[in-house]
Amino acid sequence: MTTLNVNTVEMVNNSVESNNAIMGNIEELTKVFEQEEKELNRLVKGNRNEAVIAAQQKVVDEAKNQMEQAKEFERISKEKAVNSSFTFSVVDDETGARTEQQKKIAFVKNNRPVSSKKVDGFIALIAANKYDKAFPIIVMEASKLIEEGYTVTDINGKELTKEEAKDYFVILDGQHRSTAFAKLIATGKYQNLIPNVHVRDIENVGEYLVDINNVGTSWDKKDRLVVASLTSNNELFQNVAKLLNEGFNPTTAMLIYTGKSLSDKQVNNVLQGGEFILPKDAKVDIERGNKFINLCKAAKMDVSFITKRYFIKGFNSHAISISEEQAFKALDNLKYKNYKEDKWKGVKSENDFIKILKEALEA
């Protein structure tokens, strides 16, 4: 993998365009590389003019270089950010006085997920001196959150002990901005403080997170379901949050555990600490849902496929038609088939997956 050299560092410092190239969203840069490489292969197979192929090869090499630089920046900055203390410019809410405090960054488990794309956007703004420091960052002493029963993690998701927590601020509002500052500071290319930080002592963190994020407008359904696990001790929402953090989409996660989807209104009721009623014919069955997921994974099926509703809906329909026991037997048999990714890509409907399950049962 390419190491960040002097020229790369200069690019980070000098222009927004360069910042976007180096610190751009890895997923997007990977897609660009894969598309350009696919085009190159098409040209080669088509025996196109050598000059055309050579030109496309240069495009592929540049796309690969940008992708690898972004990955290297991500690796270095995240690695250093986990172990580094940062200088927070803390504002006293009563007097307005500012003090500097050295703390590491932590998050409360199941707060709104951090989007790498949003972090990359803030990195570009900060590096170009266009970040508006008037926006407050709200934090809480990590040790207090642990005392109140919340799970607190570092940037990498490692759970912190109460003893470790004394050195950390938990970011409640401003996760993307704080992560962006941390990554830039960790690389040594940004020397300023993390600005406008306000320390709060909040009793009900889940309720607070709902209030500050304006439910229904700034959050998508995934965000709301994850935070619902903080405002509710319900087993369903705890498990759905785990799936969402794994990469499952909200609708499929709920289908896996209940057989039905949950309306935005019901999710909002949970966020506000209220009761919710499952849709008609829905039944919470965490054990069954986890069994379905684990058997899919045993068949070497990636989450990107399991999260498509065709799989769980097809499985549920098949279970109704032949029995739970037989349907799970068919699902279990998939691990012996050694299907490749192309097989799962071919599933475009419930019936496609039912056909695969039938074949597995007959084997």
Side-chain angles (χ1 to χ4, degrees):
M1 187 173 285
T2 305
T3 302
L4 288 179
N5 54 31
V6 174
N7 291 333
T8 299
V9 169
E10 289 177 354
M11 289 172 71
V12 172
N13 287 325
N14 290 340
S15 73
V16 176
E17 182 179 355
S18 296
N19 276 303
N20 285 333
I22 294 172
M23 297 172 284
N25 183 263
I26 292 173
E27 183 179 346
E28 291 183 357
L29 291 174
T30 300
K31 285 181 180 178
V32 170
F33 166 67
E34 291 174 348
Q35 289 170 356
E36 298 297 350
E37 189 175 47
K38 186 177 180 179
E39 175 63 12
L40 174 63
N41 292 334
R42 188 185 70 80
L43 293 174
V44 172
K45 288 180 180 179
N47 294 317
R48 296 292 297 274
N49 182 283
E50 289 185 6
V52 174
I53 292 174
Q56 181 61 23
Q57 182 66 62
K58 288 183 178 180
V59 173
V60 171
D61 291 343
E62 177 60 25
K64 183 178 181 181
N65 184 50
Q66 288 189 3
M67 177 186 69
E68 290 185 339
Q69 286 187 5
K71 287 181 178 180
E72 184 67 2
F73 177 86
E74 173 74 10
R75 183 190 68 78
I76 291 174
S77 60
K78 194 169 185 179
E79 182 181 283
K80 291 184 177 180
V82 169
N83 300 311
S84 300
S85 292
F86 302 97
T87 303
F88 290 81
S89 178
V90 177
V91 181
D92 187 300
D93 286 336
E94 292 185 5
T95 66
R98 297 176 184 272
T99 57
E100 296 179 5
Q101 295 190 37
Q102 293 286 323
K103 292 281 187 178
K104 296 180 181 180
I105 289 177
F107 302 118
V108 59
K109 185 177 180 180
N110 289 338
N111 191 0
R112 187 180 184 184
V114 174
S115 162
S116 60
K117 187 173 183 178
K118 289 183 180 179
V119 171
D120 293 336
F122 277 117
I123 285 175
L125 284 176
I126 295 165
N129 294 317
K130 291 185 177 181
Y131 175 76
D132 188 347
K133 296 180 181 180
F135 288 109
I137 292 174
I138 310 300
V139 305
M140 186 170 175
E141 294 283 355
S143 54
K144 290 185 178 180
L145 271 168
I146 292 178
E147 287 174 0
E148 292 178 15
Y150 291 95
T151 300
V152 173
T153 69
D154 66 14
I155 290 177
N156 269 345
K158 173 184 171 292
E159 185 174 339
L160 300 176
T161 65
K162 187 176 179 180
E163 179 62 27
E164 292 171 326
K166 64 180 179 9
D167 297 324
Y168 288 80
F169 271 153
V170 169
I171 312 298
L172 297 180
D173 187 27
Q175 294 181 106
H176 296 97
R177 289 170 282 146
S178 299
T179 303
F181 276 113
K183 286 185 174 183
L184 275 175
I185 294 170
T187 60
K189 298 302 141 191
Y190 182 84
Q191 305 298 330
N192 292 344
L193 315 173
I194 297 180
N196 203 11
V197 178
H198 298 254
V199 182
R200 300 284 167 80
D201 192 0
I202 301 161
E203 292 184 7
N204 190 329
V205 171
E207 183 178 308
Y208 173 78
L209 291 173
V210 172
D211 291 339
I212 63 174
N213 282 283
N214 189 20
V215 173
T217 54
S218 64
W219 286 8
D220 60 20
K221 193 166 187 176
K222 177 181 177 180
D223 293 335
R224 296 199 299 274
L225 279 170
V226 169
V227 177
S229 67
L230 282 174
T231 59
S232 169
N233 291 321
N234 189 285
E235 181 185 27
L236 171 62
F237 292 99
Q238 299 292 327
N239 282 275
V240 165
K242 290 178 183 178
L243 292 192
L244 297 182
N245 287 326
E246 244 188 272
F248 283 82
N249 72 57
T251 299
T252 301
M254 197 61 70
L255 283 171
I256 287 173
Y257 286 134
T258 72
K260 299 287 182 179
S261 59
L262 205 62
S263 71
D264 289 343
K265 182 178 179 181
Q266 292 285 21
V267 176
N268 288 344
N269 285 342
V270 177
L271 285 169
Q272 299 297 344
E275 295 182 359
F276 73 99
I277 300 174
L278 286 172
K280 184 181 179 182
D281 298 327
K283 179 184 176 183
V284 177
D285 195 332
I286 305 301
E287 183 179 354
R288 179 183 187 274
N290 287 337
K291 184 177 180 181
F292 168 80
I293 294 167
N294 290 333
L295 289 179
C296 285
K297 289 180 177 179
K300 297 180 180 179
M301 194 185 300
D302 189 76
V303 168
S304 63
F305 297 112
I306 309 173
T307 192
K308 294 180 179 179
R309 66 183 184 279
Y310 308 131
F311 291 88
I312 183 59
K313 293 188 79 171
F315 175 80
N316 286 343
S317 296
H318 197 48
I320 291 172
S321 66
I322 64 171
S323 80
E324 283 277 304
E325 182 181 356
Q326 289 294 94
F328 271 114
K329 182 179 178 182
L331 193 64
D332 188 35
N333 283 351
L334 290 179
K335 66 188 178 188
Y336 303 115
K337 291 290 188 176
N338 293 316
Y339 287 138
K340 304 300 181 184
E341 187 175 288
D342 286 347
K343 186 71 172 181
W344 310 129
K345 283 183 178 179
V347 176
K348 303 296 183 181
S349 69
E350 296 174 38
N351 287 334
D352 288 341
F353 192 52
I354 289 173
K355 183 180 179 181
I356 291 175
L357 290 172
K358 285 180 177 179
E359 292 171 354
L361 198 58
E362 291 168 0

